[in-house]
């Protein structure tokens, strides 16, 4: 509930919930990026705080963002724990192996038991190689030294910059999707119909366009004969450029097929799975039966929001009213038949301010039904 | 007519519906589908929903199923209608003394459309309180 919750009914003014605020808070909560495995650790602060502090953090997120549970994970990963330990460099007293009682010397390699297995000596030599014991007997592994010559030569800053660049270019690409993607269903259908012939289905249309384009599928000998025929025809007509024309046409066809498949693909992605079997007439009918372009309406809204004022007009157009030509009718309380007007909004406002018995005047917008409202209560500022 | 309007079945949905509507008034009817008052109101809501679709959307919330808001919004009446715009509660001076909500059924469609439109126009101009064109105080109840 966030902001709304904090506002009780008693207060008339409610602080508006701005988008920037929300985003701002989100940015703050985003965890810092840490590269662990290749040892570039930028944020070495692994202080996660106590459980209470963590809970507080969580509340902070919830208050600003949503009411739902977000925030930190409840289970810390082992990886983090290990790192935290390394960073803190826990100090401990090293155990003096000399003082440990009951250690045996290393057994000899030829010291085998009855079955021929080697017996390991009862001592801590192997362990000493891998790490060390502290005074309480706790074993600590040595820091693994996995330095890598090549890895040390890598310039991580450069890579990071490049990553950022790539991300930003990707974002830009995402921001402006293909022009075709923006097309509404109606527009797509219209484009498809433009490519089709009457009584044709989309599949047949594709075949027709494709047959031209896929001339190379024709056996070579047939192709040769066709070319010869075309040449002879052209010669008969006195033209000699027909072969190149033929090729140009082929190109155009290929392009058209690509466009058509693209359009059809877009439609099927939007749920028009039977588009391939739809005929020219069916699609035409579909177009004509689409009342208004939904996407268009949205687009108009989008522009209108930027434009400012026109959105109200857009919205009220549906109700049959628009700001610019709102006209008002009015009458006096006791004279039901005597309807005056129409007046503009400004004139009505003047009437409301100047008339002595404003309470007795009733008004309504023209074409807005039969309900009469007291002029005193109507807020003409809004129209 | 309650079955024709979208129901919100938990607090999260109600929150989301109110928060994520950027340029429409969100009208929420709190009550029960079986309640006679709500039935009347739902009838009105349903019949104006299409007319107002460009500047308002309507949701129904069962206050037994979603009791989260009962305390905050003081939902003790059989039927309560509240208006929100961009996550902000819009108050209406209805002449009743309670500017927070409409807690009775409005059977007149035109009246209700006018209220919703006034709320929309007022809210768009940044008003937190709009004046309903009709005074619903008892002196006008014939």
């Amino acid at each position: 509930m966030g902001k709304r919750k904090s506002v009780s009914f008693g207060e008339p003014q409610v602080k508006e919930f701005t988008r920037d605020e929300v985003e701002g808070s989100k940015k703050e909560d985003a965890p810092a990026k840490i590269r662990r495995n290749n040892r570039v650790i930028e944020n070495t602060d692994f202080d996660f705080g106590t459980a209470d502090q963590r809970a507080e953090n969580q509340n902070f997120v919830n208050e600003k963002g949503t009411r739902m549970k977000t925030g930190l994970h409840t289970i810390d990963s082992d990886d983090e724990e290990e790192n935290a330990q390394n960073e803190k460099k826990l100090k401990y007293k090293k155990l003096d192996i000399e003082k440990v009682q009951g250690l045996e010397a290393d057994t000899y390699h030829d010291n085998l038991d009855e079955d021929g297995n080697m017996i390991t000596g009862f001592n801590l030599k192997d362990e000493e190689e891998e790490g060390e014991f502290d005074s309480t007997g706790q074993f600590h592994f040595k820091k693994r030294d996995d330095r890598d010559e090549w890895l040390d030569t890598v310039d991580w800053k450069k890579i990071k910059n490049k990553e950022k660049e790539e991300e930003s270019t990707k974002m830009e690409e995402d921001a402006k999707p293909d022009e075709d993607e923006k097309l509404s269903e109606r527009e797509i259908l219209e484009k498809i119909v433009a490519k089709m012939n009457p009584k044709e289905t989309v599949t047949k249309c594709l075949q027709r366009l494709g047959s031209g384009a896929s001339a190379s599928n024709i056996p070579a000998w047939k192709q040769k004969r066709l070319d010869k025929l075309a040449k002879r025809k052209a010669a008969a007509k006195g033209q000699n450029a027909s072969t190149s024309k033929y090729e140009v046409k082929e190109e155009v066809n290929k392009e058209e097929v690509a466009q058509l498949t693209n359009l059809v693909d877009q439609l099927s992605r939007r749920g028009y799975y039977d588009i391939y079997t739809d005929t020219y007439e069916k699609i035409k009918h579909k177009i004509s039966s689409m009342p208004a372009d939904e996407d268009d309406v949205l687009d108009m809204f989008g522009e209108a929001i930027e434009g400012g004022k026109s959105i109200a007009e857009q919205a009220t157009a549906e109700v049959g009213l628009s700001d610019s030509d709102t006209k008002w009718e009015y009458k006096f309380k006791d004279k039901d038949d005597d309807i005056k007007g129409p007046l503009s909004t400004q004139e009505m406002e003047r009437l409301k301010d100047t008339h002595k018995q404003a309470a007795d005047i009733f008004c309504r917008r023209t074409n807005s039904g039969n309900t009469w409202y007291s002029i005193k209560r109507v807020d003409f500022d809004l129209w | 007519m309650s079955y024709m309007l979208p129901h919100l079945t938990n607090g999260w949905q109600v929150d989301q519906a109110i928060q994520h509507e950027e340029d429409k008034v969100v009208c929420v009817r709190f009550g029960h589908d079986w309640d006679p008052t709500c039935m009347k109101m739902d009838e009105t809501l349903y019949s104006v929903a299409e007319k107002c679709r460009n500047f308002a959307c309507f949701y129904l919330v069962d206050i037994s199923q979603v009791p989260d808001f009962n305390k905050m919004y003081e939902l003790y009446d059989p039927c309560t209608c509240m208006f929100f715009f961009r996550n902000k509660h819009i108050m209406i001076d209805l002449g009743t003394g309670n500017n927070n909500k409409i807690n009775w059924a409005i059977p007149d469609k035109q009246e209700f459309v006018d209220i919703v439109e006034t709320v929309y126009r007022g809210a768009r101009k940044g008003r937190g309180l709009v004046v309903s064109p009709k005074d619903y105080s008892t002196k006008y109840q014939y």
Side-chain angles (χ1 to χ4, degrees):
Chain A
M1 188 50 44
K3 281 279 153 77
R4 276 202 316 285
K5 189 175 185 177
S6 63
V7 176
S8 74
F9 282 151
E11 296 167 56
Q13 276 300 319
V14 183
K15 199 192 165 200
E16 191 123 357
F17 183 82
T18 64
R19 181 177 279 245
D20 289 347
E21 263 176 20
V22 182
E23 277 173 1
S25 70
K26 268 181 195 158
K27 262 177 219 158
E28 278 167 28
D29 299 329
K33 261 193 183 172
I34 297 155
R35 198 189 307 276
R36 273 193 208 98
N37 293 338
N38 36 34
R39 297 146 56 94
V40 176
I41 299 172
E42 287 201 334
N43 184 359
T44 51
D45 183 11
F46 281 92
D47 185 16
F48 291 110
T50 62
D52 284 355
Q53 281 169 336
R54 247 181 272 176
E56 253 177 47
N57 267 344
Q58 221 157 331
N59 279 341
F60 177 74
V61 172
N62 292 347
E63 255 171 34
K64 282 235 167 173
T66 70
R67 217 179 41 160
M68 307 314 292
K69 273 199 177 175
T70 50
L72 294 167
H73 303 292
T74 45
I75 301 168
D76 295 331
S77 78
D78 295 346
D79 212 17
E80 279 167 352
E81 225 166 60
E82 204 180 278
N83 258 303
Q85 236 174 33
N86 279 344
E87 294 310 318
K88 276 183 193 165
K89 285 187 183 165
L90 285 172
K91 282 173 189 165
Y92 50 86
K93 238 178 166 181
K94 206 183 151 192
L95 179 75
D96 192 0
I97 296 291
E98 306 291 306
K99 287 180 183 169
V100 179
Q101 293 180 335
L103 290 184
E104 285 176 358
D106 244 345
T107 47
Y108 299 104
H109 290 290
D110 52 348
N111 193 5
L112 306 176
D113 70 356
E114 295 149 3
D115 300 327
N117 298 322
M118 205 181 86
I119 300 167
T120 315
F122 187 73
N123 58 34
L124 296 170
K125 273 191 181 163
D126 285 353
E127 285 80 359
E128 280 275 88
E129 276 168 27
E130 285 174 16
E132 48 200 17
F133 292 91
D134 66 10
S135 51
T136 59
Q138 174 84 35
F139 185 69
H140 297 275
F141 277 103
K142 275 182 195 163
K143 262 190 195 172
R144 266 188 305 154
D145 189 26
D146 40 37
R147 283 173 74 90
D148 186 296
E149 284 291 316
W150 174 80
L151 206 61
D152 287 343
T153 62
V154 174
D155 187 355
W156 289 106
K157 263 189 186 168
K158 242 186 199 171
I159 289 174
K160 228 185 170 184
N161 284 343
K162 206 172 181 190
E163 248 174 27
K164 265 184 198 163
E165 261 173 43
E166 265 169 23
E167 219 164 80
S168 62
T169 50
K170 207 180 175 189
M171 290 270 274
E172 274 169 28
E173 274 167 27
D174 284 350
K176 42 174 185 180
D178 291 347
E179 268 185 32
D180 288 347
E181 295 285 335
K182 280 188 216 153
L183 292 178
S184 68
E185 273 165 23
R186 196 195 167 99
E187 281 168 320
I188 294 174
L189 284 176
E190 272 167 358
K191 279 193 170 183
I192 291 175
V193 160
K195 292 192 196 309
M196 288 167 71
N197 287 342
K199 287 189 178 174
E200 219 175 25
T201 64
V202 174
T203 322
K204 277 200 176 149
C205 180
L206 277 170
Q207 277 169 357
R208 175 171 55 84
L209 292 173
S211 67
S214 61
S216 54
N217 286 350
I218 301 170
W221 59 269
K222 206 173 180 183
Q223 182 69 50
K224 246 184 205 170
R225 221 171 59 178
L226 280 172
D227 283 352
K228 241 185 204 171
L229 217 92
K231 258 186 195 170
R232 212 179 295 161
K233 258 188 192 169
K237 281 186 182 175
Q239 297 167 334
N240 52 0
S242 83
T243 45
S244 62
K245 255 187 193 169
Y246 184 69
E247 276 163 18
V248 169
K249 202 185 170 193
E250 205 172 285
E251 285 279 298
V252 170
N253 266 349
K254 252 184 194 169
E255 220 167 79
E256 285 211 333
V257 169
Q259 278 176 3
L260 188 58
T261 35
N262 185 20
L263 290 170
V264 170
D265 180 48
Q266 277 180 46
L267 273 187
S268 53
R269 247 184 287 156
R270 293 181 198 193
Y272 271 80
Y273 299 116
D274 50 354
I275 184 71
Y276 281 102
T277 53
D278 279 0
T279 59
Y280 176 85
E281 283 76 14
K282 198 173 176 188
I283 295 177
K284 273 227 152 168
H285 177 72
K286 235 181 217 168
I287 293 172
S288 60
S289 65
M290 276 182 185
D293 218 319
E294 278 174 43
D295 287 358
D296 262 6
V297 171
L298 282 179
D299 282 346
M300 280 153 90
F301 256 107
E303 276 173 30
I305 290 163
E306 283 156 26
K309 195 190 166 193
S310 53
I311 187 175
E313 284 168 24
Q314 172 70 31
T316 46
E318 186 69 16
V319 196
L321 308 153
S322 76
D323 282 5
S324 51
D325 50 78
T326 306
K327 292 281 182 220
W328 301 79
E329 297 170 331
Y330 72 98
K331 64 170 189 181
F332 287 96
K333 195 181 182 181
D334 43 351
K335 294 173 192 163
D336 267 356
D337 308 325
D338 188 14
I339 298 171
K340 291 168 186 167
L343 293 182
S344 72
T345 309
Q346 283 85 4
E347 286 169 315
M348 286 303 284
E349 195 155 17
R350 222 171 298 136
L351 184 73
K352 179 186 174 184
D353 293 340
T354 54
H355 206 279
K356 284 176 192 169
Q357 293 155 319
D360 287 343
I361 303 175
F362 284 74
C363 69
R364 71 176 180 198
R365 276 171 296 163
T366 48
N367 309 324
S368 78
N370 284 326
T371 327
W372 292 91
Y373 298 115
S374 166
I375 196 174
K376 256 186 125 181
R377 288 192 68 86
V378 178
D379 195 346
F380 292 106
D381 279 357
L382 300 179
W383 274 275
Chain B
M1 276 304 157
S2 58
Y3 51 86
M4 295 299 289
L5 288 162
H7 286 72
L8 304 173
T9 52
N10 56 46
W12 185 78
Q13 287 182 356
V14 178
D15 261 5
Q16 296 301 307
I18 292 171
Q19 275 173 18
H20 289 284
E21 196 55 67
E22 297 246 310
D23 41 33
K24 280 192 218 171
V25 168
V26 179
C27 173
V28 186
R29 189 276 282 152
F30 295 96
H32 296 105
D33 288 350
W34 44 260
D35 190 282
T37 321
C38 282
M39 283 180 183
K40 270 188 218 160
M41 193 67 205
D42 292 347
E43 183 76 37
T44 313
L45 288 174
Y46 165 67
S47 51
V48 304
E50 180 62 20
K51 213 178 173 190
C52 302
R53 73 191 163 96
N54 274 341
F55 59 89
C57 45
F58 302 89
Y59 296 104
L60 309 185
V61 176
D62 189 305
I63 51 171
S64 307
Q65 194 181 10
V66 188
D68 313 25
F69 303 93
N70 295 3
K71 206 174 165 192
M72 195 198 315
Y73 293 152
E74 294 158 10
L75 306 172
Y76 307 124
D77 309 289
C79 176
T80 307
C81 244
M82 293 181 69
F83 294 89
F84 302 89
F85 188 73
R86 296 192 186 150
N87 198 32
K88 183 175 158 186
H89 170 229
I90 305 296
M91 295 195 284
I92 317 164
D93 177 3
L94 297 151
T96 54
N98 186 352
N99 294 347
N100 300 312
K101 51 193 169 184
I102 300 172
N103 51 6
W104 66 93
I106 297 180
D108 189 318
K109 290 170 200 166
Q110 187 56 43
E111 260 176 49
F112 192 69
V113 170
D114 287 338
I115 290 174
V116 178
E117 202 189 340
T118 314
V119 168
Y120 172 71
R121 285 172 180 277
R124 271 194 58 80
K125 298 213 163 168
R127 310 252 174 101
L129 172 68
V130 295
V131 183
S132 136
K134 193 180 172 188
D135 187 348
Y136 290 92
S137 63
T138 41
K139 69 171 173 172
Y140 282 99
Q141 278 180 3
Y142 315 94

